[in-house]
Amino acid sequence: MSFYSFSKVVALIGVILGTASGCTTAATLSTVTPTVAPVSEKSASIVVDGSTGAVLYQASADLPRIPASLTKMMTLYLTFEALKSGRISKTTLLPVSAHAASQAPSKLGLKPGQTIDVDTAIKAIVVKSANDVAVVLAEYLGGTEDQFAAQMTAKARQLGMRGTNFHNASGLPDPQQITTARDMALLGMSLRRHYPEQYYYFITQDFVYNGKLIRGHNRVLAQLNGADGIKTGYVRASGFNIVTSISDNGRQLVAVVMGGETARSRDAQVVSLVNAYLPQVASRF
């Protein structure tokens, strides 16, 4: 391993351990404002030991990529933070604005003036990747979606996500909204480490809303033993993205694939990466 690669491993471990102990990352990582530039390539991938932060594989992991609905991982991170602090509960009713209702699909089809409870909102984001619901949460927690997006970016910096800018809560196309595969892996690990009591949501594959069964489209959950999340994403400019988390016999792993040409090829790639690198992860038991 080169010194450059080794230093990145050490830095990632430091970030995870530091945030887990309640420290900020300001003392260990300088804040780097990502360069917003046209993304000429879509593909990127990384595989990380979910317990230690050790990088097992990476390809274009630090190049700017479009997150699409992987954005909602941070929307949910801040939602879980609000739940933990007691600011909201799972039964809190969230009002639906005209702005939220006007979001492009995928959406739940909320109407202005309606309300939706937090528990249903979380399920709608995990399973349906509902853009209207993401904005409902953003407006309730941030006042406006723009203000919430600023909070998302600030939290990204605190977690050590140096190559990410958020400009909306849903992941709908925005030229200013970028990330990296490494940052998405870090966010995936942070969700499990910081909010284990809410992490079970990510394995949800369907839920009932207004008497209708709504099914998800994360096929990897059924293809890999121990898969327990986290999120898929797609817009035309990004290609097909996925962050997959594995917890198997005391071993934890996070794999990120971005820029797949099809959902099927993306899924096949992440399954192949998990099968190749999970045996290298040491069990915690």
Side-chain angles (χ1 to χ4, degrees), residues 5-241:
S5 298
F6 177 78
S7 65
K8 288 209 166 196
V9 172
V10 172
L12 185 55
I13 294 171
V15 170
I16 291 293
L17 295 179
T19 52
S21 64
C23 300
T24 67
T25 60
T28 57
L29 289 173
S30 60
T31 299
V32 178
T33 302
T35 301
V36 180
V39 180
S40 58
E41 298 292 338
K42 298 179 181 180
S43 64
S45 53
I46 191 169
V47 181
V48 180
D49 184 318
S51 298
T52 67
V55 177
L56 307 176
Y57 168 86
Q58 58 184 315
S60 303
D62 294 303
L63 296 181
R65 295 293 182 256
I66 296 171
S69 282
L70 300 187
T71 297
K72 296 184 179 80
M73 291 166 58
M74 182 59 84
T75 301
L76 290 173
Y77 187 100
L78 293 182
T79 300
F80 296 160
E81 184 176 72
L83 282 168
K84 187 172 184 178
S85 71
R87 183 180 173 192
I88 58 174
S89 73
K90 292 183 181 181
T91 60
T92 298
L93 294 178
L94 311 170
V96 179
S97 70
H99 172 62
S102 71
Q103 298 302 298
S106 176
K107 60 197 295 183
L108 199 57
L110 301 174
K111 305 298 183 185
Q114 280 186 258
T115 59
I116 183 171
D117 64 85
V118 169
D119 180 66
T120 302
I122 294 171
K123 292 174 182 175
I125 289 177
V126 170
V127 176
K128 180 69 172 173
S129 200
N131 296 322
D132 50 356
V133 177
V135 175
V136 167
L137 276 166
E139 291 179 332
Y140 190 87
L141 295 175
T144 68
E145 186 178 11
D146 286 345
Q147 290 171 340
F148 185 75
Q151 293 173 12
M152 294 168 71
T153 300
K155 183 59 64 174
R157 295 294 178 276
Q158 184 183 356
L159 295 176
M161 298 167 62
R162 296 178 293 176
T164 299
N165 270 343
F166 291 114
H167 275 248
N168 65 48
S170 65
L172 283 169
D174 186 313
Q176 299 294 308
Q177 187 142 293
I178 60 170
T179 190
T180 67
R182 189 183 307 276
D183 280 2
M184 287 293 105
L186 179 54
L187 180 54
M189 287 186 289
S190 297
L191 279 163
R192 182 197 295 277
R193 186 176 296 270
H194 300 159
Y195 300 108
E197 68 281 3
Q198 311 298 347
Y199 197 80
Y200 70 92
Y201 276 111
F202 290 113
I203 202 168
T204 306
Q205 299 187 58
D206 57 59
F207 73 107
V208 176
Y209 179 71
N210 282 348
K212 180 181 179 181
L213 180 65
I214 299 176
R215 299 184 185 277
H217 47 260
N218 188 346
R219 311 302 180 201
V220 171
L221 291 173
Q223 295 179 39
L224 286 169
N225 290 333
D228 55 8
I230 301 176
K231 192 75 187 72
T232 62
Y234 171 80
V235 294
R236 182 177 299 176
S238 72
F240 291 86
N241 300 338

Side-chain angles (χ1 to χ4, degrees), residues 247-264:
S247 183
D248 180 61
N249 294 320
R251 299 176 297 176
Q252 293 183 357
L253 180 145
V254 174
V256 179
V257 171
M258 306 185 75
E261 293 186 359
T262 66
R264 180 173 293 184

